[in-house]
Amino acid sequence: METFNTEILINHTPYETRVAIVEDGILQDVMVERERRRGIVGNIYKGKVQRVLPGMDAAFIDIGLERTGFLHLKNIGRKDEDAPQRISDVLREGQTLLVQVLKDPIGSKGARLSTEISIPSRFLVFLPNADDIGVSIKIASEAQRQSLRDLMVGFHRGHQGGFIVRTAIESADMWAMRADMQYLQRVWEAILQAQQQAKPGTLIYRDLPLYLKVLRDYVSPQVSRVAIDDHDAYQEMSRFVENFLFEMSDRLLHYRGEKTLFARFGIDDEIELSLKRHVPLKSGGHLIIDQTEAMTTIDVNTGGYVGKLSQDDTIYRTNLEAAHAIARQLRLRNLGGIIMLDFIDMVNAEHQQGVMEALILALGGDKNKYTISPISPLGIIEMTRKRTRESLRQVMCETCPSCEGRGYVKSTETIVYELFRELMREAREFNPKMLSVIGSPELIDFIREEESLSFSDLQALLKTPIRLQSDTSYHHGLYEIALS
């Protein structure tokens, strides 16, 4: 795989964290985590059995949330092959136990739970209730898998629990695997200690926030810099680096520039472009990207580009450029599921093969698992890409109220956070006595009702009062800021 000079830029506020991964100066990936939408999958609770349901081989577990969680017999870890096969033989009402969330609560349903605890790190997954060593099947070489398994058996000797070796170890020093193992065992010891002191219904362990998860999952020797613009988050990241990534200590930076971090590196503009349907190519051609519930289609067009080449060569060059652009857009927009790539028709078999090879090469840096079919005579490639999180559009946009779902616009939440960032810029630059926001009714109502705490914190942070004024002449998401 090609080696990149990678920078990780993190914009953090109390209500939202945005991460940009930049390779050789080009934005390749964007992640957004909003505090009010942060899920509970992976969280570990000290639960209490509220009710056992023998007819369903399941139980309701109180984990301190509004709705009880649901634990099925098949999600109860058992090492003994001859263990009881009925829920009533395993659980009793009032019993306490550690459970981990598999699925977030949806509608009237509570969280789906498991007692088969798993704790991920950069290179390993720790299974405290297991005792075997596994290696990811994504590591293609059987010899390498066996070598990794033998190393882990040696490292693991004398310790309890099982491990799964993750694919990321392929690009790391093998001693990093041992460091990860020690880190995970310390985490598990802390969980057990917290469990002893906690009351039932208490959160014992929560997966890392995005700005720390990035350190855990994305830092590699190719990362030249990690910059974050929030002081408190920087301090927390520094402690994490000191404990687990000491070699990164000189590459973690606290950004204090006059411009915001994302504005300084043009990330905001790139995100804006990534929400659009039309993607221009340097040659003059363009991509048209359409997301639907069933699939995503990406159409390649030459546009007005002709140049001095023959028509076949013009088409070939445009398709080669499009292959690299498509791979980037898949990552940047986090597109998943079924994806249809409609390249410009090519008659020349060598050109078809060249485009396929260019696409596979460009996809080499993609962490998400994908499958890809040979190019058809019509220039169409069918592929699938694993969904690991919501797409950028799903996170930042909502259905357009004017076209009844045939298009999309930025969600009110996204616009409010953009407004908050703009207020921070204005306050920093002009130091006003007061800021006034005049905006559409749904925007102002959202701030007052859904983001009242964040809005209050923002005023305290800026030490500046902010007046909100609703105006029906402003359409969806529109606003203005006045200084006084």
PDB file of all heavy atoms in Angstrom, residues 3 35 49 69 73 98 117 152-153 156 168 212 222 224 227 234 306 310-311 341 353 361 370 410 421 439 450:
ATOM      1  N   THR A   3       2.511   4.755   0.795  1.00  0.00           N
ATOM      2  CA  THR A   3       2.754   5.450   2.045  1.00  0.00           C
ATOM      3  C   THR A   3       2.388   6.911   1.896  1.00  0.00           C
ATOM      4  O   THR A   3       2.787   7.576   0.944  1.00  0.00           O
ATOM      5  CB  THR A   3       4.237   5.314   2.455  1.00  0.00           C
ATOM      6  OG1 THR A   3       4.541   3.930   2.614  1.00  0.00           O
ATOM      7  CG2 THR A   3       4.488   6.031   3.773  1.00  0.00           C
ATOM      8  N   GLU A  35     -22.557  15.142  20.373  1.00  0.00           N
ATOM      9  CA  GLU A  35     -22.735  14.648  21.735  1.00  0.00           C
ATOM     10  C   GLU A  35     -24.170  14.222  21.994  1.00  0.00           C
ATOM     11  O   GLU A  35     -24.410  13.192  22.631  1.00  0.00           O
ATOM     12  CB  GLU A  35     -22.320  15.735  22.729  1.00  0.00           C
ATOM     13  CG  GLU A  35     -22.233  15.248  24.162  1.00  0.00           C
ATOM     14  CD  GLU A  35     -21.215  14.131  24.364  1.00  0.00           C
ATOM     15  OE1 GLU A  35     -20.202  14.089  23.631  1.00  0.00           O
ATOM     16  OE2 GLU A  35     -21.453  13.289  25.250  1.00  0.00           O
ATOM     17  N   VAL A  49     -30.920  -8.003  36.951  1.00  0.00           N
ATOM     18  CA  VAL A  49     -32.000  -8.743  36.289  1.00  0.00           C
ATOM     19  C   VAL A  49     -33.336  -8.315  36.889  1.00  0.00           C
ATOM     20  O   VAL A  49     -33.595  -8.515  38.079  1.00  0.00           O
ATOM     21  CB  VAL A  49     -31.814 -10.265  36.452  1.00  0.00           C
ATOM     22  CG1 VAL A  49     -32.949 -11.008  35.748  1.00  0.00           C
ATOM     23  CG2 VAL A  49     -30.469 -10.703  35.899  1.00  0.00           C
ATOM     24  N   GLY A  69     -32.890  -3.087  29.324  1.00  0.00           N
ATOM     25  CA  GLY A  69     -32.236  -3.748  28.207  1.00  0.00           C
ATOM     26  C   GLY A  69     -32.746  -5.170  28.038  1.00  0.00           C
ATOM     27  O   GLY A  69     -33.370  -5.744  28.953  1.00  0.00           O
ATOM     28  N   LEU A  73     -30.591 -15.547  25.712  1.00  0.00           N
ATOM     29  CA  LEU A  73     -29.725 -16.644  26.147  1.00  0.00           C
ATOM     30  C   LEU A  73     -28.511 -16.793  25.235  1.00  0.00           C
ATOM     31  O   LEU A  73     -27.402 -17.053  25.704  1.00  0.00           O
ATOM     32  CB  LEU A  73     -30.535 -17.953  26.179  1.00  0.00           C
ATOM     33  CG  LEU A  73     -29.761 -19.207  26.612  1.00  0.00           C
ATOM     34  CD1 LEU A  73     -29.301 -19.088  28.056  1.00  0.00           C
ATOM     35  CD2 LEU A  73     -30.621 -20.461  26.419  1.00  0.00           C
ATOM     36  N   LEU A  98     -22.352  -7.971  34.678  1.00  0.00           N
ATOM     37  CA  LEU A  98     -21.815  -7.014  33.715  1.00  0.00           C
ATOM     38  C   LEU A  98     -22.399  -7.315  32.342  1.00  0.00           C
ATOM     39  O   LEU A  98     -22.381  -8.466  31.888  1.00  0.00           O
ATOM     40  CB  LEU A  98     -20.289  -7.114  33.629  1.00  0.00           C
ATOM     41  CG  LEU A  98     -19.449  -6.321  34.620  1.00  0.00           C
ATOM     42  CD1 LEU A  98     -17.972  -6.516  34.299  1.00  0.00           C
ATOM     43  CD2 LEU A  98     -19.790  -4.847  34.623  1.00  0.00           C
ATOM     44  N   ILE A 117     -18.349  -9.840  26.793  1.00  0.00           N
ATOM     45  CA  ILE A 117     -17.695  -8.534  26.744  1.00  0.00           C
ATOM     46  C   ILE A 117     -16.555  -8.542  25.722  1.00  0.00           C
ATOM     47  O   ILE A 117     -15.793  -9.506  25.626  1.00  0.00           O
ATOM     48  CB  ILE A 117     -17.133  -8.152  28.132  1.00  0.00           C
ATOM     49  CG1 ILE A 117     -18.215  -8.270  29.202  1.00  0.00           C
ATOM     50  CG2 ILE A 117     -16.512  -6.760  28.103  1.00  0.00           C
ATOM     51  CD1 ILE A 117     -19.351  -7.309  29.053  1.00  0.00           C
ATOM     52  N   MET A 152       1.200 -13.992  19.809  1.00  0.00           N
ATOM     53  CA  MET A 152       0.233 -13.668  20.842  1.00  0.00           C
ATOM     54  C   MET A 152       0.190 -14.739  21.928  1.00  0.00           C
ATOM     55  O   MET A 152       0.046 -14.420  23.111  1.00  0.00           O
ATOM     56  CB  MET A 152      -1.158 -13.503  20.222  1.00  0.00           C
ATOM     57  CG  MET A 152      -1.474 -12.095  19.764  1.00  0.00           C
ATOM     58  SD  MET A 152      -1.324 -10.862  21.083  1.00  0.00           S
ATOM     59  CE  MET A 152      -2.572 -11.423  22.236  1.00  0.00           C
ATOM     60  N   VAL A 153       0.320 -15.999  21.535  1.00  0.00           N
ATOM     61  CA  VAL A 153       0.337 -17.079  22.522  1.00  0.00           C
ATOM     62  C   VAL A 153       1.512 -16.875  23.478  1.00  0.00           C
ATOM     63  O   VAL A 153       1.386 -17.042  24.698  1.00  0.00           O
ATOM     64  CB  VAL A 153       0.421 -18.452  21.826  1.00  0.00           C
ATOM     65  CG1 VAL A 153       0.725 -19.553  22.842  1.00  0.00           C
ATOM     66  CG2 VAL A 153      -0.886 -18.759  21.101  1.00  0.00           C
ATOM     67  N   HIS A 156       0.811 -13.894  25.690  1.00  0.00           N
ATOM     68  CA  HIS A 156      -0.366 -14.109  26.523  1.00  0.00           C
ATOM     69  C   HIS A 156      -0.119 -15.101  27.645  1.00  0.00           C
ATOM     70  O   HIS A 156      -0.907 -15.196  28.590  1.00  0.00           O
ATOM     71  CB  HIS A 156      -1.507 -14.604  25.618  1.00  0.00           C
ATOM     72  CG  HIS A 156      -2.811 -14.796  26.318  1.00  0.00           C
ATOM     73  ND1 HIS A 156      -3.322 -16.049  26.617  1.00  0.00           N
ATOM     74  CD2 HIS A 156      -3.706 -13.909  26.804  1.00  0.00           C
ATOM     75  CE1 HIS A 156      -4.482 -15.911  27.229  1.00  0.00           C
ATOM     76  NE2 HIS A 156      -4.740 -14.633  27.352  1.00  0.00           N
ATOM     77  N   ALA A 168      -4.999  -4.044  11.531  1.00  0.00           N
ATOM     78  CA  ALA A 168      -4.087  -2.899  11.619  1.00  0.00           C
ATOM     79  C   ALA A 168      -2.676  -3.300  12.026  1.00  0.00           C
ATOM     80  O   ALA A 168      -1.722  -2.548  11.770  1.00  0.00           O
ATOM     81  CB  ALA A 168      -4.634  -1.869  12.609  1.00  0.00           C
ATOM     82  N   LEU A 212     -10.291  10.836  21.146  1.00  0.00           N
ATOM     83  CA  LEU A 212      -9.367   9.828  21.675  1.00  0.00           C
ATOM     84  C   LEU A 212      -9.389   8.560  20.827  1.00  0.00           C
ATOM     85  O   LEU A 212      -8.366   7.889  20.656  1.00  0.00           O
ATOM     86  CB  LEU A 212      -9.721   9.495  23.126  1.00  0.00           C
ATOM     87  CG  LEU A 212      -9.515  10.607  24.152  1.00  0.00           C
ATOM     88  CD1 LEU A 212      -9.885  10.116  25.541  1.00  0.00           C
ATOM     89  CD2 LEU A 212      -8.067  11.093  24.146  1.00  0.00           C
ATOM     90  N   GLN A 222       2.866   6.761   9.642  1.00  0.00           N
ATOM     91  CA  GLN A 222       2.665   7.713   8.545  1.00  0.00           C
ATOM     92  C   GLN A 222       2.043   9.032   9.017  1.00  0.00           C
ATOM     93  O   GLN A 222       2.005  10.004   8.255  1.00  0.00           O
ATOM     94  CB  GLN A 222       1.760   7.106   7.469  1.00  0.00           C
ATOM     95  CG  GLN A 222       2.423   6.033   6.614  1.00  0.00           C
ATOM     96  CD  GLN A 222       2.624   4.731   7.364  1.00  0.00           C
ATOM     97  OE1 GLN A 222       1.739   4.292   8.098  1.00  0.00           O
ATOM     98  NE2 GLN A 222       3.782   4.119   7.194  1.00  0.00           N
ATOM     99  N   SER A 224       2.118  12.384  10.585  1.00  0.00           N
ATOM    100  CA  SER A 224       3.161  13.355  10.927  1.00  0.00           C
ATOM    101  C   SER A 224       2.695  14.349  11.981  1.00  0.00           C
ATOM    102  O   SER A 224       3.505  14.957  12.679  1.00  0.00           O
ATOM    103  CB  SER A 224       3.596  14.121   9.676  1.00  0.00           C
ATOM    104  OG  SER A 224       2.501  14.825   9.101  1.00  0.00           O
ATOM    105  N   ALA A 227      -3.421  17.637  15.235  1.00  0.00           N
ATOM    106  CA  ALA A 227      -3.674  18.979  15.767  1.00  0.00           C
ATOM    107  C   ALA A 227      -5.117  19.085  16.235  1.00  0.00           C
ATOM    108  O   ALA A 227      -6.036  18.658  15.537  1.00  0.00           O
ATOM    109  CB  ALA A 227      -3.393  20.033  14.696  1.00  0.00           C
ATOM    110  N   TYR A 234      -7.220  18.719  24.301  1.00  0.00           N
ATOM    111  CA  TYR A 234      -5.787  18.549  24.078  1.00  0.00           C
ATOM    112  C   TYR A 234      -5.111  17.969  25.323  1.00  0.00           C
ATOM    113  O   TYR A 234      -4.269  17.056  25.223  1.00  0.00           O
ATOM    114  CB  TYR A 234      -5.148  19.888  23.707  1.00  0.00           C
ATOM    115  CG  TYR A 234      -3.630  19.866  23.729  1.00  0.00           C
ATOM    116  CD1 TYR A 234      -2.914  19.227  22.716  1.00  0.00           C
ATOM    117  CD2 TYR A 234      -2.918  20.450  24.779  1.00  0.00           C
ATOM    118  CE1 TYR A 234      -1.522  19.185  22.744  1.00  0.00           C
ATOM    119  CE2 TYR A 234      -1.538  20.412  24.813  1.00  0.00           C
ATOM    120  CZ  TYR A 234      -0.842  19.780  23.792  1.00  0.00           C
ATOM    121  OH  TYR A 234       0.532  19.735  23.825  1.00  0.00           O
ATOM    122  N   VAL A 306     -11.950  18.109 -24.315  1.00  0.00           N
ATOM    123  CA  VAL A 306     -11.597  17.432 -25.563  1.00  0.00           C
ATOM    124  C   VAL A 306     -10.085  17.267 -25.634  1.00  0.00           C
ATOM    125  O   VAL A 306      -9.549  16.170 -25.773  1.00  0.00           O
ATOM    126  CB  VAL A 306     -12.105  18.214 -26.793  1.00  0.00           C
ATOM    127  CG1 VAL A 306     -11.670  17.515 -28.065  1.00  0.00           C
ATOM    128  CG2 VAL A 306     -13.618  18.346 -26.745  1.00  0.00           C
ATOM    129  N   SER A 310      -6.979  11.729 -28.964  1.00  0.00           N
ATOM    130  CA  SER A 310      -8.098  11.105 -29.660  1.00  0.00           C
ATOM    131  C   SER A 310      -9.246  10.915 -28.679  1.00  0.00           C
ATOM    132  O   SER A 310      -9.077  11.018 -27.465  1.00  0.00           O
ATOM    133  CB  SER A 310      -7.671   9.745 -30.224  1.00  0.00           C
ATOM    134  OG  SER A 310      -7.427   8.835 -29.157  1.00  0.00           O
ATOM    135  N   GLN A 311     -10.418  10.613 -29.226  1.00  0.00           N
ATOM    136  CA  GLN A 311     -11.581  10.437 -28.350  1.00  0.00           C
ATOM    137  C   GLN A 311     -11.372   9.300 -27.360  1.00  0.00           C
ATOM    138  O   GLN A 311     -11.702   9.424 -26.183  1.00  0.00           O
ATOM    139  CB  GLN A 311     -12.825  10.177 -29.190  1.00  0.00           C
ATOM    140  CG  GLN A 311     -14.103  10.081 -28.344  1.00  0.00           C
ATOM    141  CD  GLN A 311     -15.339   9.846 -29.182  1.00  0.00           C
ATOM    142  OE1 GLN A 311     -15.244   9.531 -30.357  1.00  0.00           O
ATOM    143  NE2 GLN A 311     -16.497  10.003 -28.584  1.00  0.00           N
ATOM    144  N   LEU A 341     -20.821   2.088 -10.297  1.00  0.00           N
ATOM    145  CA  LEU A 341     -19.914   3.059 -10.902  1.00  0.00           C
ATOM    146  C   LEU A 341     -20.085   3.001 -12.420  1.00  0.00           C
ATOM    147  O   LEU A 341     -19.761   1.988 -13.045  1.00  0.00           O
ATOM    148  CB  LEU A 341     -18.468   2.757 -10.517  1.00  0.00           C
ATOM    149  CG  LEU A 341     -18.187   2.512  -9.025  1.00  0.00           C
ATOM    150  CD1 LEU A 341     -16.714   2.177  -8.814  1.00  0.00           C
ATOM    151  CD2 LEU A 341     -18.602   3.706  -8.190  1.00  0.00           C
ATOM    152  N   GLN A 353      -9.023  -2.516 -18.470  1.00  0.00           N
ATOM    153  CA  GLN A 353      -8.177  -3.117 -17.439  1.00  0.00           C
ATOM    154  C   GLN A 353      -7.403  -2.054 -16.679  1.00  0.00           C
ATOM    155  O   GLN A 353      -7.239  -2.128 -15.455  1.00  0.00           O
ATOM    156  CB  GLN A 353      -7.214  -4.129 -18.083  1.00  0.00           C
ATOM    157  CG  GLN A 353      -6.343  -4.882 -17.083  1.00  0.00           C
ATOM    158  CD  GLN A 353      -7.151  -5.732 -16.118  1.00  0.00           C
ATOM    159  OE1 GLN A 353      -8.243  -6.188 -16.453  1.00  0.00           O
ATOM    160  NE2 GLN A 353      -6.632  -5.927 -14.917  1.00  0.00           N
ATOM    161  N   LEU A 361      -6.081   0.219  -6.993  1.00  0.00           N
ATOM    162  CA  LEU A 361      -4.935   0.869  -6.361  1.00  0.00           C
ATOM    163  C   LEU A 361      -5.397   2.026  -5.475  1.00  0.00           C
ATOM    164  O   LEU A 361      -4.929   2.190  -4.334  1.00  0.00           O
ATOM    165  CB  LEU A 361      -3.969   1.378  -7.423  1.00  0.00           C
ATOM    166  CG  LEU A 361      -2.714   2.095  -6.913  1.00  0.00           C
ATOM    167  CD1 LEU A 361      -1.843   1.131  -6.109  1.00  0.00           C
ATOM    168  CD2 LEU A 361      -1.914   2.681  -8.073  1.00  0.00           C
ATOM    169  N   TYR A 370     -14.455  -3.997   1.212  1.00  0.00           N
ATOM    170  CA  TYR A 370     -15.249  -3.817  -0.002  1.00  0.00           C
ATOM    171  C   TYR A 370     -15.092  -5.030  -0.919  1.00  0.00           C
ATOM    172  O   TYR A 370     -14.124  -5.797  -0.817  1.00  0.00           O
ATOM    173  CB  TYR A 370     -14.829  -2.534  -0.751  1.00  0.00           C
ATOM    174  CG  TYR A 370     -13.414  -2.564  -1.272  1.00  0.00           C
ATOM    175  CD1 TYR A 370     -13.119  -3.075  -2.534  1.00  0.00           C
ATOM    176  CD2 TYR A 370     -12.357  -2.085  -0.504  1.00  0.00           C
ATOM    177  CE1 TYR A 370     -11.823  -3.123  -3.012  1.00  0.00           C
ATOM    178  CE2 TYR A 370     -11.056  -2.127  -0.972  1.00  0.00           C
ATOM    179  CZ  TYR A 370     -10.791  -2.642  -2.229  1.00  0.00           C
ATOM    180  OH  TYR A 370      -9.503  -2.693  -2.700  1.00  0.00           O
ATOM    181  N   LYS A 410     -29.247  20.717   4.362  1.00  0.00           N
ATOM    182  CA  LYS A 410     -28.570  20.600   5.642  1.00  0.00           C
ATOM    183  C   LYS A 410     -29.607  20.575   6.757  1.00  0.00           C
ATOM    184  O   LYS A 410     -30.588  21.314   6.731  1.00  0.00           O
ATOM    185  CB  LYS A 410     -27.617  21.778   5.863  1.00  0.00           C
ATOM    186  CG  LYS A 410     -26.335  21.705   5.071  1.00  0.00           C
ATOM    187  CD  LYS A 410     -25.438  22.864   5.468  1.00  0.00           C
ATOM    188  CE  LYS A 410     -24.179  22.873   4.625  1.00  0.00           C
ATOM    189  NZ  LYS A 410     -23.334  24.041   4.970  1.00  0.00           N
ATOM    190  N   ARG A 421     -20.145  28.204  15.388  1.00  0.00           N
ATOM    191  CA  ARG A 421     -18.737  28.422  15.015  1.00  0.00           C
ATOM    192  C   ARG A 421     -18.533  29.842  14.478  1.00  0.00           C
ATOM    193  O   ARG A 421     -17.509  30.477  14.745  1.00  0.00           O
ATOM    194  CB  ARG A 421     -18.302  27.377  13.984  1.00  0.00           C
ATOM    195  CG  ARG A 421     -18.148  25.976  14.548  1.00  0.00           C
ATOM    196  CD  ARG A 421     -17.409  25.053  13.584  1.00  0.00           C
ATOM    197  NE  ARG A 421     -18.183  24.734  12.413  1.00  0.00           N
ATOM    198  CZ  ARG A 421     -19.047  23.720  12.335  1.00  0.00           C
ATOM    199  NH1 ARG A 421     -19.237  22.936  13.381  1.00  0.00           N
ATOM    200  NH2 ARG A 421     -19.703  23.469  11.217  1.00  0.00           N
ATOM    201  N   GLY A 439     -32.876  34.896  12.533  1.00  0.00           N
ATOM    202  CA  GLY A 439     -32.930  33.696  11.712  1.00  0.00           C
ATOM    203  C   GLY A 439     -34.334  33.157  11.538  1.00  0.00           C
ATOM    204  O   GLY A 439     -35.307  33.670  12.098  1.00  0.00           O
ATOM    205  N   GLU A 450     -33.716  22.774  21.841  1.00  0.00           N
ATOM    206  CA  GLU A 450     -32.854  21.592  21.771  1.00  0.00           C
ATOM    207  C   GLU A 450     -31.411  21.866  22.191  1.00  0.00           C
ATOM    208  O   GLU A 450     -30.712  20.970  22.657  1.00  0.00           O
ATOM    209  CB  GLU A 450     -32.861  21.017  20.344  1.00  0.00           C
ATOM    210  CG  GLU A 450     -34.236  20.629  19.820  1.00  0.00           C
ATOM    211  CD  GLU A 450     -34.827  19.456  20.569  1.00  0.00           C
ATOM    212  OE1 GLU A 450     -34.061  18.663  21.135  1.00  0.00           O
ATOM    213  OE2 GLU A 450     -36.065  19.346  20.596  1.00  0.00           O
TER     214      GLU A 450
END
